[in-house]
């Protein structure tokens, strides 16, 4: 791609292209960790300010980047827009007052959409590298933070006390990227450190007792093996060895924890028991089928319409809590069922079409991409996407904002713009 408007290093102490990528990386990092919300907003507002500055000075450069990315990802972007429009349609035909649902839509999508718009208008050679490191650092940060909190609350290491359950959400989302990172890093010390954090994280995942998270990690590991078996057989030996290593280490840790934790014993002994979710479906699905709008749902993406609807039709008050006079129902149904409730068949159909295209496009880009690092990173995106929405999503809901984050990373990691320079930036 044509190089336009280089910033003279002698005139500018900081290159705006690098700085805006740094702020975007801060936002991504903040979106993938627990707490520390301020860093996410510093990243967002910093990138907005710099984007405006660069646009004023070098509009042509940004427009060329948009032209490139839109031409390479036209169908993906169109399908995403259609999916978001399906959610807006569900809100316009909401069961009750649309204002709370519009607020939920803004909270869910506004910041991540800005993040996506700015990301695809910036220099890939910096953004790709920054995103890679932001994801790796978010993984390490979460391991340290959750581990620290666990030691604080459980100094005697009583394994019958579980680690915070939501650790599993972040771990399973980032796990495929860490597998890729171990193969990407050339430095043996970096590989060793990251592998050590991975083992600690697997132990932490076991200690959450989140059976859905356990299954997700197993499926994500197997997907890695299958993808490279089908597309890149030259890596299969290393990946098989890694998969065996992870599964063997996990088996040892599960055996140890099982012997020393009554809490984890009870979770394992539950097997595939849905742990009350069948009651949620049995008591609420008939109400939606009888009174809900099949095509547009009751209004999404949040839970305002969901709770209003169930309270008005006097659904049994199980699995939830009172907030004032109204009962707040836990929406623990499978993700696809929740989409049907809230966005109807239109929303469900557009989500499935978008997801199938992400999978198909990802596999195609892996097969035709000549850069090894890009193959691993694209694989990580699609495997994490499947794990998040179609494995863990079998048992509980997921946040739509991560769809935007996934697709932004997907576009950046699979970009061939300035490909010769990109390959230098990931060690």
């Amino acid at each position: 791609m044509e190089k336009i408007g280089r910033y003279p290093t002698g005139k500018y102490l900081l290159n705006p292209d690098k700085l805006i990528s740094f702020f975007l990386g801060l936002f991504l990092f903040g979106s993938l960790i627990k707490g520390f919300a301020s860093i996410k907003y510093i990243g967002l507002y910093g990138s907005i300010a710099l984007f405006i500055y660069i646009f004023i000075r070098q509009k042509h450069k940004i427009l060329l980047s948009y032209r490139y990315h839109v031409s390479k990802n036209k169908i993906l972007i169109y399908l995403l827009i259609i999916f978001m429009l399906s959610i807006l349609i569900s809100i316009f035909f909401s069961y009750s007052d649309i204002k709370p649902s519009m607020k939920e839509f803004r909270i869910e999508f506004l910041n991540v959409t800005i993040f996506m718009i700015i990301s695809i208008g910036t220099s890939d050679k910096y953004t790709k590298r920054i995103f890679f490191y932001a994801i790796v650092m978010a993984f390490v940060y979460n391991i340290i933070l959750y581990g620290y909190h666990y030691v604080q609350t459980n100094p005697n290491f009583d394994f019958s006390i579980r680690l915070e359950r939501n650790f599993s959400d972040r771990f399973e989302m980032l796990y495929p990227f860490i597998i890729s990172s171990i193969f990407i890093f050339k430095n043996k010390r970096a590989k060793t450190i990251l592998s050590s954090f991975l083992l600690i994280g697997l132990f932490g995942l076991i200690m959450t007792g989140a059976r859905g998270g356990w299954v997700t990690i197993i499926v994500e590991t197997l997907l890695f093996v299958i993808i490279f078996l089908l597309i890149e057989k030259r890596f299969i030996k290393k990946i098989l060895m890694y998969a065996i290593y992870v599964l063997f280490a996990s088996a040892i840790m599960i055996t140890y924890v099982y012997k020393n934790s009554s809490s984890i014993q009870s979770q394992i002994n539950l097997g595939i028991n849905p742990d009350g979710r069948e009651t949620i479906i049995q008591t609420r699905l008939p109400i939606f089928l009888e009174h809900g709008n099949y095509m547009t749902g009751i209004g999404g993406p949040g839970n305002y319409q969901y709770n209003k609807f169930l309270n008005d039709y006097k659904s049994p008050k199980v699995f939830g809590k009172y907030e004032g006079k109204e009962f707040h129902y836990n929406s623990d149904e499978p993700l696809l069922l929740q989409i049907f409730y809230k966005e109807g068949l239109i929303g469900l159909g557009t989500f499935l079409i978008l997801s199938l295209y992400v999978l198909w496009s990802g596999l195609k880009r892996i097969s035709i991409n000549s850069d090894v690092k890009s193959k691993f990173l694209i694989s990580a995106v699609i495997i994490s996407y499947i794990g998040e929405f179609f494995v863990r999503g079998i048992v509980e809901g997921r946040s739509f904002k991560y769809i935007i984050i996934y697709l932004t990373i997907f576009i950046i990691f699979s970009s061939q713009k300035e490909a010769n320079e990109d390959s230098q930036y990931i060690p």
Side-chain angles (χ1 to χ4, degrees):
M1 182 176 175
E2 181 185 359
K3 305 279 186 179
I4 294 178
R6 279 188 183 276
Y7 291 89
T9 54
K11 187 176 180 181
Y12 293 95
L13 294 176
L14 290 173
N15 184 325
D17 286 335
K18 292 181 180 179
L19 199 54
I20 195 172
S21 296
F22 171 75
F23 278 112
L24 289 168
L26 282 184
F27 178 83
L28 179 59
F29 174 81
S31 300
L32 299 174
I33 63 171
K34 176 187 177 181
F36 206 2
S38 59
I39 196 170
K40 181 168 60 176
Y41 294 110
I42 290 171
L44 181 66
Y45 299 139
S47 60
I48 291 172
L50 279 164
F51 183 78
I52 293 171
Y53 170 78
I54 296 172
F55 188 82
I56 291 171
R57 289 182 57 89
Q58 295 188 320
K59 178 173 68 174
H60 187 50
K61 180 179 181 180
I62 289 176
L63 293 177
L64 274 178
S65 185
Y66 281 128
R67 190 181 306 163
Y68 170 81
H69 284 302
V70 171
S71 67
K72 296 294 183 182
N73 301 279
K74 190 177 298 182
I75 298 176
L76 182 68
I77 292 171
Y78 286 164
L79 289 175
L80 175 61
I81 292 171
I82 291 170
F83 172 63
M84 293 178 70
L85 285 174
S86 74
I87 298 175
L88 282 173
I89 290 171
S90 77
I91 293 173
F92 292 144
F93 290 93
S94 286
Y95 168 71
S96 64
D97 183 13
I98 70 170
K99 290 181 181 178
S101 292
M102 287 300 297
K103 181 180 179 181
E104 290 173 333
F105 182 88
R106 177 179 58 80
I107 292 170
E108 189 80 359
F109 289 112
L110 178 61
N111 290 344
V112 289
T113 301
I114 293 172
F115 166 71
M116 184 180 202
I117 291 170
I118 295 176
S119 294
I120 62 178
T122 59
S123 171
D124 285 356
K125 69 176 181 180
Y126 302 125
T127 309
K128 187 178 292 188
R129 175 175 58 164
I130 291 294
F131 280 9
F132 173 79
Y133 282 118
I135 292 168
V136 172
M137 293 307 298
F139 178 81
V140 172
Y141 178 89
N142 285 330
I143 300 292
I144 294 172
L145 182 68
Y146 279 92
Y148 174 73
H149 286 169
Y150 186 72
V151 172
Q152 266 196 324
T153 57
N154 184 23
N156 296 323
F157 290 96
D158 178 359
F159 288 151
S160 292
I161 298 174
R162 294 190 205 172
L163 184 66
E164 291 178 58
R165 181 181 173 84
N166 59 8
F167 171 77
S168 66
D169 296 336
R170 292 177 171 83
F171 183 84
E172 69 194 26
M173 183 183 295
L174 299 177
Y175 171 74
F177 294 97
I178 303 309
I179 300 178
S180 294
S181 301
I182 290 172
F183 284 99
I184 287 171
F185 276 118
K186 295 178 181 178
N187 186 291
K188 289 185 178 180
R189 182 177 296 177
K191 288 176 181 284
T192 302
I193 292 172
L194 204 53
S195 297
S196 299
F197 273 103
L198 181 61
L199 284 175
I200 296 170
L202 285 170
F203 186 79
L205 177 68
I206 295 167
M207 290 305 303
T208 63
R211 292 170 297 153
W214 301 347
V215 173
T216 302
I217 293 303
I218 293 171
V219 172
E220 287 177 342
T221 303
L222 293 176
L223 283 174
F224 240 106
V225 174
I226 292 169
I227 286 175
F228 283 92
L229 179 63
L230 294 175
I231 296 175
E232 284 293 334
K233 295 181 180 179
R234 57 188 168 133
F235 299 120
I236 195 61
K237 185 177 179 180
K238 289 183 178 180
I239 290 174
L240 276 173
M241 290 296 293
Y242 176 80
I244 292 169
Y245 163 78
V246 167
L247 296 175
F248 180 70
S250 300
I252 292 174
M253 288 187 285
I254 290 172
T255 302
Y256 178 78
V257 172
Y258 184 81
K259 291 179 178 178
N260 294 277
S261 172
S262 58
S263 176
I264 301 303
Q265 282 179 24
S266 65
Q267 287 299 103
I268 293 175
N269 292 336
L270 279 173
I272 60 172
N273 188 307
D275 201 18
R277 287 181 175 83
E278 78 283 7
T279 302
I280 291 176
I281 295 173
Q282 290 167 0
T283 57
R284 300 176 193 176
L285 178 59
I287 297 174
F288 283 102
L289 292 176
E290 183 176 356
H291 302 287
N293 186 322
Y294 281 30
M295 295 306 297
T296 60
I298 58 171
N303 286 337
Y304 175 80
Q305 304 295 342
Y306 180 89
N307 282 296
K308 175 71 173 167
F309 183 87
L310 291 174
N311 273 287
D312 285 355
Y313 285 101
K314 303 187 186 305
S315 175
K317 292 176 172 53
V318 293
F319 295 99
K321 61 181 179 180
Y322 276 97
E323 293 184 354
K325 294 182 179 180
E326 284 204 341
F327 190 78
H328 182 87
Y329 293 87
N330 293 341
S331 53
D332 287 343
E333 298 94 340
L335 173 65
L336 297 183
L337 190 56
Q338 286 196 38
I339 296 175
F340 171 66
Y341 290 166
K342 298 174 184 179
E343 288 83 28
L345 291 174
I346 295 175
L348 180 59
T350 55
F351 171 75
L352 290 174
I353 292 170
L354 171 63
S355 299
L356 287 171
Y357 182 79
V358 170
L359 177 59
W360 176 83
S361 178
L363 293 174
K364 181 180 177 181
R365 293 179 194 206
I366 293 168
S367 65
I368 65 174
N369 204 308
S370 59
D371 181 50
V372 173
K373 300 176 183 69
S374 294
K375 288 177 182 289
F376 277 108
L377 292 174
I378 298 168
S379 299
V381 176
I382 62 174
I383 290 169
S384 181
Y385 187 97
I386 293 169
E388 176 75 2
F389 295 111
F390 291 97
V391 182
R392 193 66 183 270
I394 290 175
V395 293
E396 52 194 295
R398 305 279 87 185
S399 174
F400 282 156
K401 71 179 181 181
Y402 289 110
I403 294 176
I404 311 291
I405 292 175
Y406 275 120
L407 297 188
T408 303
I409 297 170
F410 180 77
I411 289 171
I412 297 299
F413 282 169
S414 61
S415 172
Q416 292 294 298
K417 181 162 63 75
E418 298 172 341
N420 292 332
E421 295 183 33
D422 286 342
S423 61
Q424 304 171 27
Y425 284 93
I426 300 177

